[in-house]
Every structure is written in structure tokens, then in C-alpha cells.
Amino acid sequence: MTCFLKIFFRKTKAVLKRCRCFFVFPIFLVVILNQMIQSFNAYIFLALLWILFRVIKINRRDIWLLCIVCGLLGIFFFSLKNLNSQAVKRQLVAANEETYEAELLIEPDEIKVDGNLLQLIGRVVNKKSELKGRNVLVYHKLDSIKEQFFWKNIDQSIDVRMTGTGTNVDEQRNLNGFDYQDYLIQKGIAAALSVKSFSSITVNRQIGILHPVSFLHQLRKKWSLHIEQKFPNCIKAYMKSLLLGVKDADFSEMETLFSSLGVLQLFSLSGIHVYFFSIVFRYLFLRIGISQEKVFWLELFILFAYSVIAGFSTSIGRAVVQSAFLLSNRHFFWRCSRLDCWSFTLFLGILFQPCLLNTVGGQLSYGTTFFVLFLRPVLKKYSSILKQKLFFSISLSLFSLPILLFHFYQWNFFCVFLAFFLLPVFSKFIFPLLCVLFIFS
């Protein structure tokens, strides 16, 4: 048996080595099969025919074998994921008007107070509850300013015991309207509850620095409260959204403005977050004499820690994982192309979030970075840096045009020039300045 496994892994490793620079094909096949399992239509079928035609045209058996294996595993895995999503949907619908006594574990950055409305997202920890292990969304109307202050300033993980009633979650009512039920299902939320009463609210003392993810959630909330107290409204909105990924009421106004101007893709690229920290910390570590071997592991640790602190949104997650693959590719001499690293990132993304490419964030983040990979060789034809940046801005704006029109039904002609001026301003001035202001506050 041991001998068989050794031979199997040796053969698999040999096949993977021969498939370098071609991983995009089996991964695209898996992505298309995932979309077919969720909702079959003519466009997805045409995409499937195109990818099969391209794989056959390559005329390499190792690529064919890898596509077949990935396709079969993808069908099995995403079928199970789809069944789980259907179970979550049934629970979400069945929870309407039901009364639940729930014990929730709630991270501090999942607590949102908007006026007198409290919103919590927590994991059910009741051993006997049918929702055990599921995430639930909780609403509660606050009666006083004292209650608002209490919930706003919670900066530790808490255990909440409560009694609540399931609320009706609306499906899509109008053509191309927002489907709130589908949104909750994508986030893995199995019930939306309206609080009748809280039995107890206690700090979870078991969670601390020994539980790194929870510790980072707490750190995120503490930094968010620090920014709230130290900076004026204008600066704190930018700082919380860019540094911590906190999108509250202040950011909603900014998001509407950026969307109308057509420069929302600047936030989807997220290079200004991840690549800035990667370059700065690598420079500092090398300057103080740390070896490159240790710097590599420190970079990975900082990148994944920051992804949690920044809320692990679609764009941040994509940038962090892609950076990790690029660093590993260089460190371990995998000799994979940038397209391979992008493909691995997409593969991991849909494994954890099968509906990733159904969202505007996923389409902009993965779509624009995929486009940039093929734009890089074209930019080298221009000797002037100014021409390169102008061509990059125009190309990126035109590429994102169909996505923005499909989701927002509007496009600003001046977004081409706004992106040209705003991208260097955000990456080289605003974001570093916000970091400096935060550090010295």
C-alpha cells in the first residue's frame, strides 16, 4: 500500500510539472461546471463548449487527464456545496415565525449599530438546537442612547443567550432587483431572527491570543473604535474602509459616489492595500538584517493576518491569496506563470465561496486582475510611463464597463480620466498617508 501511494504521488507530481502554464484550463473547467450546477443557461453551455474545444486543441494527454480529474472532483464537490446551500435556504424559509432560544458566539466586528437598530451575526453554539453550527442574523430595536453606546463599544467576543422570532426574508420581487434571501444564503446565514429578549450577555474569556482569528477580529474592532474617536468624519470614513474594510453608513455615501463616477474598480483591485504592506514590510525586515527565508514566512503571516483585520472581503481575499501564491512561486521555485498563480487563487476562491463570480465584487476583482495579466506585455510597447498609465487607465475602464452597466445601469464618461488621476493618488499618497496618520495617532 505504501509503495502504491509513493508511485501515485510521484506520477501526480510529474503530471503537474508538465502542466505548468496550462493550469488555467482545468480550473476554468471547474469554474464553469460550478456555474452550471448553480444555474444552467445557454451562455454557460457555450463557455463549456469553448473550454472543451481549447483543451482538445492543445492535444496533450496530461492536460486532458488533469481536466477530467478536476472536472469529476469539481462536480462532486460543488454538488455537495449546492445541497448544503439548499439546506440553508430551507432553514431560512422554515425559520419564519418560529421561536428560538439560542446561544450565540459573536465576534465584536460583527456588531453593527445604525441609529436605534442593532444587527448581529453570530454562530449558534447550542448543542440541542437545529441551527447548531450555523450562522444567524439577529435584529433588535434599541430603546435608549445608553444601549446604543453599550453595543457600539463592545470590543471582545461575547456569548449571547436570547429568545427570538424568525422573520420573513424577501426574495427578489422586481426584475433585476436585489435578492436579499439569496444574499443571506451566499453568506451562509440559516435564519434571520428578531429579538424578543436577551437572557445574558457575557464576555467569552476562553477566546484570546491563543485563538488567533478571534484575536484579530477583536483587534479590528478596537482599531475601528480608535479611528472613530481620534479622527473627523471625512478622514475616518476613508481610513476605516481602506485600512479595515469597515463599510458603515459613512462609506455607503462614498460607495454611491464612486459608483456614479465609475471608479469603484479602484477598490476591487486592492493592490493599494496588500502590495503596499508586502513591499513595506519586506523592505523593513531586510533592512534590519532578517534573512530572506524568514522574511518569506513573516510576509505570509502578515498578509493573512491583515486579510482578517481588513474583513476578508472578496477583493482583499483575492489580493492576499494571489500575493501568497506569487511569493511561494518565487521562494519554492515552482516556475509557474502569473496566470497559473491567478488560476490557483480563483480555484481557492470558488472552493470557499461557490457563488463568488455571481457578485459584482468577484467579477470586478478577478476580472480586472485577469485582464491586467494580458495588459502587462502591451504596456511595455510604450516607452513613456505617462503613456503606459494612460493606456492602462483607459483599457481598465473599458474592460469594467460591461460589468458596471450590467449591475448599476450607469457609466460616467469621465471615469477614464478620473481613474488615470485617482489610481496613483490612492496608491502613492492617500493610502500611505492614512497609514502614517493611524500609526502616529
Side-chain angles (χ1 to χ4, degrees), residues 11-38:
K11 292 284 186 181
T12 303
K13 187 177 179 180
V15 170
L16 292 177
K17 280 185 177 180
R18 291 196 299 269
C19 291
R20 286 171 182 157
C21 302
F22 291 96
F23 286 111
V24 66
F25 294 109
I27 290 174
F28 267 11
L29 178 62
V30 170
V31 170
I32 293 169
L33 291 173
N34 171 45
Q35 294 297 120
M36 289 184 70
I37 290 170
Q38 292 181 48

Side-chain angles (χ1 to χ4, degrees), residues 168-362:
N168 183 41
V169 178
D170 293 333
E171 295 183 278
Q172 181 180 343
R173 292 185 174 182
N174 305 313
L175 180 64
N176 297 324
F178 180 64
D179 192 335
Y180 188 52
Q181 187 180 100
D182 186 59
Y183 170 76
L184 294 183
I185 292 169
Q186 288 181 22
K187 292 177 70 71
I189 292 174
L193 307 178
S194 177
V195 176
K196 286 184 176 180
S197 63
F198 289 109
S199 303
S200 66
I201 302 170
T202 57
V203 174
N204 192 314
R205 300 292 181 184
Q206 298 178 353
I207 292 179
I209 198 168
L210 296 178
H211 296 77
V213 175
S214 293
F215 175 75
L216 291 171
H217 280 290
Q218 294 174 22
L219 194 61
R220 184 186 186 216
K221 182 59 179 287
K222 288 177 180 178
W223 286 357
S224 178
L225 292 174
H226 175 78
I227 292 170
E228 282 276 354
Q229 295 166 2
K230 295 289 184 179
F231 296 96
N233 292 336
C234 158
I235 296 178
K236 73 183 182 184
Y238 282 97
M239 192 172 287
K240 287 197 296 182
S241 60
L242 287 173
L243 294 183
L244 304 178
V246 176
K247 299 179 180 180
D248 51 15
D250 295 326
F251 179 79
S252 298
E253 298 177 4
M254 292 167 46
E255 189 174 31
T256 304
L257 175 63
F258 288 133
S259 175
S260 63
L261 293 176
V263 293
L264 191 64
Q265 67 270 24
L266 293 179
F267 290 88
S268 300
L269 285 171
S270 297
I272 56 177
H273 303 75
V274 175
Y275 302 134
F276 173 80
F277 283 120
S278 180
I279 291 170
V280 168
F281 280 109
R282 182 175 182 81
Y283 174 79
L284 291 176
F285 289 147
L286 291 174
R287 289 290 293 175
I288 62 178
I290 300 177
S291 65
Q292 290 201 10
E293 175 72 24
K294 293 178 180 177
V295 168
F296 166 72
W297 294 108
L298 285 171
E299 277 186 285
L300 289 185
F301 172 77
I302 289 172
L303 284 175
F304 284 103
Y306 177 69
S307 69
V308 177
I309 292 173
F312 209 82
S313 62
T314 298
S315 53
I316 291 292
R318 192 274 313 157
V320 166
V321 175
Q322 188 170 354
S323 296
F325 275 123
L326 289 170
L327 290 171
S328 301
N329 184 40
R330 183 177 62 190
H331 183 78
F332 295 113
F333 303 102
W334 289 345
R335 298 177 184 174
C336 293
S337 66
R338 285 181 174 270
L339 182 59
D340 284 337
C341 294
W342 178 89
S343 303
F344 298 150
T345 306
L346 176 62
F347 182 66
L348 281 183
I350 63 165
L351 282 183
F352 288 98
Q353 190 180 353
C355 298
L356 176 69
L357 296 182
N358 296 340
T359 65
V360 61

Side-chain angles (χ1 to χ4, degrees), residues 95-206:
N96 187 25
E97 301 300 330
E98 290 286 332
T99 300
Y100 292 92
E101 291 185 1
E103 183 178 346
L104 308 178
L105 173 61
I106 300 172
E107 300 293 354
D109 58 342
E110 295 289 358
I111 301 171
K112 296 181 181 179
V113 178
D114 186 7
N116 66 343
L117 180 64
L118 172 67
Q119 178 182 305
L120 312 169
I121 295 178
R123 180 166 53 86
V124 179
V125 293
N126 303 49
K127 292 183 179 180
K128 296 182 180 180
S129 173
E130 61 187 55
L131 296 174
K132 183 179 183 299
R134 300 283 193 184
N135 290 332
V136 297
L137 178 65
V138 177
Y139 293 105
H140 181 55
K141 186 176 181 181
L142 301 173
D143 298 324
S144 66
I145 296 177
K146 185 178 179 180
E147 280 187 294
Q148 293 179 28
F149 181 82
F150 168 77
W151 285 102
K152 273 185 178 180
N153 289 278
I154 291 176
D155 59 3
Q156 292 181 293
S157 302
I158 58 173
D159 290 318
V160 173
R161 291 185 179 181
M162 51 152 286
T163 302
T165 305
T167 60
N168 183 41
V169 178
D170 293 333
E171 295 183 278
Q172 181 180 343
R173 292 185 174 182
N174 305 313
L175 180 64
N176 297 324
F178 180 64
D179 192 335
Y180 188 52
Q181 187 180 100
D182 186 59
Y183 170 76
L184 294 183
I185 292 169
Q186 288 181 22
K187 292 177 70 71
I189 292 174
L193 307 178
S194 177
V195 176
K196 286 184 176 180
S197 63
F198 289 109
S199 303
S200 66
I201 302 170
T202 57
V203 174
N204 192 314
R205 300 292 181 184
Q206 298 178 353

Side-chain angles (χ1 to χ4, degrees), residues 39-58:
S39 59
F40 181 82
N41 58 53
Y43 297 108
I44 298 174
F45 182 68
L46 289 174
L48 178 64
L49 291 179
W50 174 80
I51 198 69
L52 290 176
F53 172 76
R54 288 291 290 116
V55 170
I56 293 171
K57 194 175 179 182
I58 294 172

